[in-house]
Structures are given as structure tokens and as C-alpha cells.
Amino acid sequence: MSLSSHTSQAPQHDTMRLHGRELMVESLRRFSPRALARNPVMAVVVVGTLVCALYTGLALVRGTSVWFSLSVTLILWATVLFANGAEALAESRGKAHAGSLRATKGQLKARRLDKGGREYLVPADDLRRGDQVRVRAGELIPADGEIIEGAGSINESAVTGESAPVLREAGTDSSGVNAGTKLLSDELVIEVSADPGESLLDRMIALVEGASRQKTPSELALSVLLSTLTLMFLIVVVTLVPMAEFIGVTPSPVMLVALLVCLIPTTIGGLLPAIGIAGMERAMRANLIAKSGKAVEIAGSIDTLLLDKTGTITLGDRKATEFSPCGGVAVAHLRDVAYQCSVDDPTPEGRSIVSLARDQGTQATLSTGADFLPFSASTRLSGVDLADGIRLRKGAPNAIAAFVEDNGGRLPDDYMRLVERISRDGATPLAVAEEDRLLGVIALSDVIKAGIAERFVQLREMGVKTVMVTGDNPLTAATIAAEAGVDDYIAEATPERKLEVIREEQAKGRLVAMMGDGTNDAPALAQADLGLAMNSGTQAAREAGNMVDLDSDPGKLLAAVEIGKQLLITRGALTTFSLANDVAKYFAILPAIFAASIPALGALDILGLHSPESAVLAAVVFNALVIPALIPFALRGVRFKASSATQLLRRNLLIYGLGGVLLPFPAIKLLDLIIAAFL
């Protein structure tokens, strides 16, 4: 269940009222000079509408015919209203979510702790970064933060839409919590990580209301292109005046304004803001919170995708399936030592080792005074120091081998063959040692997600290189990479290695995306062009990334790329259609306007339009109607399937380019016949 499905359960009549009265109000608000300044194309249409209205007023004063100038004025007014309505409609889809989010935010109170540990009940808006709060079972978490004491089950449906509770715990990569979520069990002490207005809930409200949307780089570039084209056509229309007068034709200012509006790219100019807003809204429906529209756009331009194996390519929780001793060690002894190393290990792998050892009948226990050593990314080891000083370790095969040799031990002859056999089988070998003696290997089995190979094929067809990043040894990594179908893999990866790979790819001019959830992922997330942080991860990771996945699903990185691709394809397709339309309208109406005065142009009037007035009216009506007709495409996104850039360009030119050229001719002819019937 996505954010949108959770927060958009308003009755149908409320939605219709929003799309009717409020939509009209929002459309009218966009006639303000500040709003028009953001869209130069539509600003020109507004100025043209005012010019036509002025000449209509003058005609009324003089007592001359006003039907043509009044008709053009009303149609141009409708054109701007349709364009404003497209943007307002895109924003209203998000605003429909904001009410419940604001209601959630308004309920929040906090038990703030002072330095002496005393509690004070304060409004959540009084909390500042660094404050500590206590949250008890049944209470709403008042602010974004990091759990520093305790563990508990949390209902995150107010943010993610998912009612299934999740476990969050201090000192793990799942220690991040969000304002507005509900603690269902136990008690937590949370350190606040965001000042008022900066929390995820605040950002969500701002995003869905459109308050924080800024134009992306390519949107700005396209706006400059459209403005340039508008200026060029303005010059063309202005130069028509002396040329027409030279041959004895004096076109009316209203006719020239209508011609200008038909020639400038009003369609894409009116839909461009809606396309950008709708792209962010589609990301939100996938429970992806982008910190800016730029993040969504970059997702569609990614060249290289760094993917963690665990949770993205595989199901995530590796399970111990085999205890394989070496060097003459008894299976029971390996099993018992593995159990002792893992009994206090909270990771899924650690719990699965304990479960397998118990299933095989272990009777091992930990004596009082044992000191558990948690896993470290730098040493790639974990284990326990027993009360009698004996050190038990488990970890990556090469790390355990180094541990044994550093303690004066020798590797068994069959050790490497055992590691290679488990790796070839696609499992992850986890070695176990007791002081200077290497006891054997635990096989941790991964299950590749169904359908993941097909998605990698689609990404490859779109020109995206996929790189699997894993802490596994090269043999295991190669086996899983081949089965999943990724383009490349990095084995035994450390956080430093991830950062190095990102920089190498960027130095080649490529845009890189990666995901992460831990504090050690923060540098790489910040360096990547698209950093997707897991919502359940640490605050450092969430701040470093430019996109947050509320579902904490590592596979969502693939969805982010697809949403970004759809945004870019939609913008490109509708731009192609709009520019092709302009070309067609030029050849459809310009000959009709001058054919009566210049008979030689009659051969170019292939549509045989009734009169210059009916030709212009038909064109401006078509120009106005095409905007609302394309609003569903702008909001939903143009349908696409994975293919190369060349194939996409060919498809866009064929469907939207050729369609944009051909459609205006029959449409304008039909409208001309209808208009002529009333003349």
C-alpha cells in the first residue's frame, strides 16, 4: 500500500469539488505576474489575450464588428486557463494527501528530557536538533530522530501506508524513526535530528503541496529553448506586418496575435510544470520521497547502478544451511563454537546460525563474563571472548585466515577447497576459528529474487550498467552475479571501495546511483548522483541521500530509475508533439490568411479553409483544446518499455512527431467546417 493509497481515501464528491471550484480558483491565481514570470510562453499568451481584449473594447466603442476579436480573446483566455489548470490539477493530486499529514503533525506532543533526565511535556514544534525525548508504548513519535536507548515495534502507516509494524533498535542500521509514527511496544529514548520544518513529515507536506518544487536543470534548459522559440516566432510575426503592407495587405492586430499564439509552443509551455509535478507525485505514490525534482530527473538519466546484493538482488536474509568442518575438526565442535559466536548476534544471519545449531542438537552455553564482539566492517569479524580468555571468531574467509595466522596458527590444507566449493554452490562462506585453529566454514545461502534478472535485461536495454556490490568473496559474488544477470560485480566491498567506484564512474562522465542505510554508507550516498537512503536506516544515511524510500526496500532503486525514465520520456514525447504541432499549424493557416490577397499562395492552402477568420479561429480552438486533451498523458506519464535511447528517439519521432504533424490538418479542417456553419 503506497502513500497515495493511504492518504487519498477522501469521498469521490470531495475530489470532484477539489477539481471543480478549487481548481478554478487555483487556475485564476496563476494569472499573477509572479506566476506568469515562471512560464514565459504562457505570459506571452496572456499579453496577447489582453491586446485582443483591448481591440475588442475599441471595436465596441467604434460600433464595428467585434465577433472575431471577442472570439479570439475568449479562446486565448481559455488556453491560459487550461494551461494553469494542468499545473493546478497536478498539484491538487498531492494536496489531497496533505490534510491527513497535517492532522497527524498537529497531534504531536513530546516528553523532552533535560540533562538530569526529568521529563517535560512540550509541543513537538518546540523540539530542536539534539534534544532527547522519551516515547512510551501507544504514543506518537514527535520528531525525526535516532533511537539511542531501547528497541520497539513501530507502526509507520502514517508515513508509509503500511500497517504492518516494524522493529527499530538503538545501535543498528534500523535505528531511524520518523515523526508521526506510533510506538506499539516498549519504551524508547530518541535524539531529535531535525529542527521544526525540516522533518520528513514536513518535507512530505511541502512536496505534496508543491511548495518546494523547483525547476530541474533540464526543465530550465527546455524553458530557455521554448522562450527562444517564442521570441523567434514573435520576430517572424512582427516582420510579417511590413511584408504584408508591401503587397497591399494589412492584417489586423488580433489576427497577428492569434497567429503568434498558434505558432509558439503553447502546448508544452502549458504542460511543462504539470509534467514535473506529476513525476514527483508518481515517485511519492511509489513511497519514494525526493528531496527535489532534480533527484527524480537524475534517476532517469542514470548510467551506472550500484546495487547491494543482499536485499536488492537476493531476498535479504541469508540463512545458515550447513556446518562444514576442515582439518579433522568434528562437526559438533564447529557447530558449538559457531553457536557461541552467534548467540548474542542480532543479525538475521546470526539468528539463523543459532537456529541451525539448536536444530542439530547443540548443548553449548556461554559462561558468565563472556564479552561479545559485534561485527565490524573494517575487520569483517565478529565473535566472543570467553571468560577464560579464549577468543572465538567468525567472519569472512580471508579475515579469519588472517586472524588465525596472526595468532601463530596454520590454515588446514582443505580449507580453501571447502571455501571454493561453498562459493561455487552460490552460498556465502563464513569461516569459524578458535584462537589459532581454523575449525571450518558455515554456508549462508542466498535466494535470488524472482524476476530480478528480467529487470536487469530491461535496464541494459535502456543503457544502464548494473554493478552488484557485496562483501562476499569473489567466487560467491561471481556465481550470484551470473545467475542474476548483472553487468559487473565488486566482491569483498568496503565503504571506502564503494566510494572509490562511484568516483571512478563519475570520472568517466557517467551518472551513478546507489542505495544504503548505514552510517558507513553516508559518504557514498552523498557522492552518488542519486543516493537512495532507506527510511529505516540511520539519520546520517537519510541526510546524505537525495531520495528516501519509505518502504525501506532496497529493490526500490530500480523503480526510482523507471520513474525517472518515464518523466524524461513524457517530457520529450510531449515536447516533440508540441513542436510538430506548431509546424503543421504554420502550413495550415498561414496560406489561408494571405491566399485571398496573394492568389499564388492559394496552391498552398491544401485544406481549402472557408476564410482567413474561420482558419484562425479553427487553429486557436485546436490550440486551446489540445492542452486539456494531453493533461492525462502529462499526469499519468507516457507509457514506455525498456529500450535504447535510439529506439526511444525513433518511437517518439514516429508517434509524437509524425502524429503532431498530421493531427492538426484534419482537426483544423473539421473545426473550420463547424465555424463556417455559424458564419
Side-chain angles (χ1 to χ4, degrees):
M1 185 176 183
S2 69
L3 172 66
S4 60
S5 59
H6 171 71
T7 57
S8 59
Q9 298 173 357
Q12 182 68 23
H13 67 274
D14 288 342
T15 303
M16 291 304 296
R17 185 166 64 245
L18 175 68
H19 292 174
R21 177 174 54 81
E22 292 187 15
L23 190 58
M24 178 61 72
V25 171
E26 287 296 323
S27 298
L28 292 174
R29 284 178 181 171
R30 284 167 170 76
F31 279 96
S32 68
R34 180 176 298 179
L36 290 173
R38 297 197 300 266
N39 195 336
V41 177
M42 299 317 298
V44 170
V45 180
V46 170
V47 172
T49 305
L50 295 175
V51 170
C52 292
L54 175 63
Y55 276 90
T56 301
L58 291 175
L60 282 172
V61 171
R62 295 168 181 167
T64 57
S65 175
V66 299
W67 74 268
F68 178 70
S69 59
L70 180 61
S71 299
V72 172
T73 301
L74 293 176
I75 296 169
L76 296 187
W77 176 263
T79 302
V80 183
L81 272 180
F82 289 149
N84 290 348
E87 182 178 1
L89 181 59
E91 288 189 2
S92 72
R93 284 156 57 111
K95 285 184 177 181
H97 308 329
S100 61
L101 295 175
R102 287 195 180 278
T104 298
K105 188 173 184 292
Q107 300 173 26
L108 300 182
K109 302 290 183 182
R111 302 175 186 272
R112 185 166 59 191
L113 302 178
D114 63 12
K115 293 182 179 180
R118 291 181 297 244
E119 295 180 6
Y120 296 92
L121 192 63
V122 299
D125 286 343
D126 289 352
L127 296 176
R128 296 293 183 271
R129 185 187 297 266
D131 286 347
Q132 293 184 4
V133 296
R134 190 186 306 280
V135 183
R136 297 192 174 97
E139 296 177 348
L140 293 175
I141 293 173
D144 284 10
E146 199 94 28
I147 301 173
I148 56 175
E149 288 182 23
S153 180
I154 297 176
N155 183 335
E156 297 185 338
S157 60
V159 174
T160 68
E162 293 290 347
S163 57
V166 294
L167 181 66
R168 298 284 180 259
E169 185 176 0
T172 69
D173 283 345
S174 294
S175 60
V177 293
N178 293 318
T181 56
K182 188 175 184 179
L183 180 63
L184 301 179
S185 66
D186 303 291
E187 183 176 293
L188 303 175
V189 175
I190 298 167
E191 182 173 311
V192 178
S193 59
D195 290 326
E198 298 177 359
S199 70
L200 180 66
L201 195 61
D202 290 312
R203 291 203 306 270
M204 289 169 64
I205 292 172
L207 282 167
V208 298
E209 291 185 333
S212 63
R213 195 190 88 86
Q214 297 179 338
K215 287 187 177 181
T216 61
S218 69
E219 192 175 346
L220 286 169
L222 184 55
S223 296
V224 171
L225 173 63
L226 298 182
S227 300
T228 303
L229 289 174
T230 300
L231 179 60
M232 289 173 58
F233 281 119
L234 179 60
I235 295 172
V236 168
V237 171
V238 169
T239 56
L240 277 176
V241 176
M243 293 173 61
E245 290 180 347
F246 179 76
I247 59 176
V249 179
T250 305
S252 71
V254 174
M255 186 80 75
L256 293 173
V257 169
L259 177 62
L260 173 63
V261 172
C262 288
L263 295 183
I264 64 176
T266 51
T267 303
I268 187 61
L271 294 174
L272 189 58
I275 294 170
I277 295 171
M280 293 185 69
E281 199 266 344
R282 283 195 297 274
M284 290 192 65
R285 279 192 276 120
N287 272 3
L288 290 166
I289 298 296
K291 294 183 179 179
S292 68
K294 182 179 178 182
V296 180
E297 184 176 285
I298 287 176
S301 306
I302 288 301
D303 301 304
T304 302
L305 212 56
L306 297 187
L307 300 151
D308 272 350
K309 182 200 74 173
T310 306
T312 305
I313 296 174
T314 64
L315 289 177
D317 293 343
R318 296 178 296 183
K319 294 185 177 181
T321 55
E322 177 187 357
F323 294 117
S324 300
C326 59
V329 174
V331 175
H333 185 55
L334 171 62
R335 177 199 65 201
D336 292 346
V337 172
Y339 173 83
Q340 290 175 301
C341 285
S342 306
V343 70
D344 283 335
D345 186 347
T347 65
E349 291 86 353
R351 292 195 295 269
S352 74
I353 293 171
V354 170
S355 177
L356 180 63
R358 285 174 176 166
D359 290 344
Q360 294 187 4
T362 184
Q363 300 296 320
T365 59
L366 277 182
S367 59
T368 303
D371 185 18
F372 179 70
L373 181 73
F375 176 80
S376 166
S378 57
T379 64
R380 304 180 71 211
L381 295 174
S382 66
V384 63
D385 293 338
L386 302 179
D388 58 6
I390 296 177
R391 294 175 297 170
L392 310 179
R393 295 289 186 270
K394 61 181 172 68
N398 56 351
I400 287 293
F403 174 81
V404 169
E405 290 175 340
D406 289 345
N407 285 280
R410 187 177 63 86
L411 302 183
D413 295 336
D414 55 349
Y415 173 61
M416 292 311 300
R417 290 195 300 273
L418 180 60
V419 169
E420 291 176 6
R421 191 264 298 171
I422 291 174
S423 299
R424 279 195 302 270
D425 292 342
T428 300
L430 191 70
V432 180
E434 181 181 20
E435 288 290 345
D436 61 351
R437 187 183 183 194
L438 208 156
L439 304 180
V441 179
I442 307 167
L444 299 175
S445 298
D446 278 314
V447 178
I448 292 179
K449 289 183 176 180
I452 196 74
E454 289 77 9
R455 297 193 75 174
F456 288 145
V457 170
Q458 293 176 346
L459 289 169
R460 191 175 300 111
E461 290 175 350
M462 291 188 285
V464 179
K465 174 185 176 183
T466 52
V467 180
M468 183 184 77
V469 180
T470 177
D472 290 336
N473 66 76
L475 274 176
T476 301
T479 301
I480 294 177
E483 187 176 348
V486 295
D487 298 313
D488 200 357
Y489 66 90
I490 301 170
E492 298 177 343
T494 61
E496 293 77 15
R497 177 58 180 151
K498 290 181 184 179
L499 188 59
E500 181 182 337
V501 170
I502 291 172
R503 287 172 174 167
E504 288 174 356
E505 291 291 315
Q506 289 173 332
K508 298 174 184 176
R510 295 172 178 161
L511 294 177
V512 183
M514 76 155 289
M515 55 73 59
D517 59 1
T519 301
N520 60 356
D521 291 324
L525 286 170
Q527 179 68 36
D529 299 284
L530 174 65
L532 178 63
M534 301 295 100
N535 187 43
S536 63
T538 63
Q539 186 63 26
R542 287 185 292 177
E543 289 182 352
N546 52 12
M547 190 177 282
V548 178
D549 175 24
L550 299 179
D551 296 328
S552 300
D553 174 13
K556 196 70 70 68
L557 188 55
L558 303 178
V561 171
E562 291 173 358
I563 290 169
K565 289 282 185 188
Q566 188 178 33
L567 169 64
L568 296 178
I569 290 169
T570 300
R571 186 183 294 155
L574 295 186
T575 299
T576 303
F577 182 86
S578 176
L579 297 180
N581 254 240
D582 295 336
V583 173
K585 285 180 288 186
Y586 179 85
F587 287 103
I589 65 174
L590 199 62
I593 294 175
F594 293 100
S597 302
I598 309 175
L601 289 178
L604 298 178
D605 186 13
I606 57 176
L607 296 181
L609 301 179
H610 179 267
S611 66
E613 288 80 8
S614 67
V616 169
L617 285 177
V620 292
V621 169
F622 172 78
N623 194 62
L625 293 179
V626 77
I627 293 177
L630 291 177
I631 287 177
F633 291 91
L635 299 184
R636 185 179 65 245
V638 172
R639 185 180 301 174
F640 79 102
K641 61 180 181 179
S643 54
S644 67
T646 302
Q647 291 172 321
L648 286 173
L649 178 61
R650 187 183 301 121
R651 179 174 180 268
N652 276 355
L653 290 176
L654 180 63
I655 297 176
Y656 297 98
L658 185 60
V661 169
L662 296 179
L663 178 63
F665 291 102
I668 290 175
K669 179 61 178 178
L670 177 61
L671 289 169
D672 178 75
L673 292 173
I674 295 173
I675 293 169
F678 291 93
L679 294 180

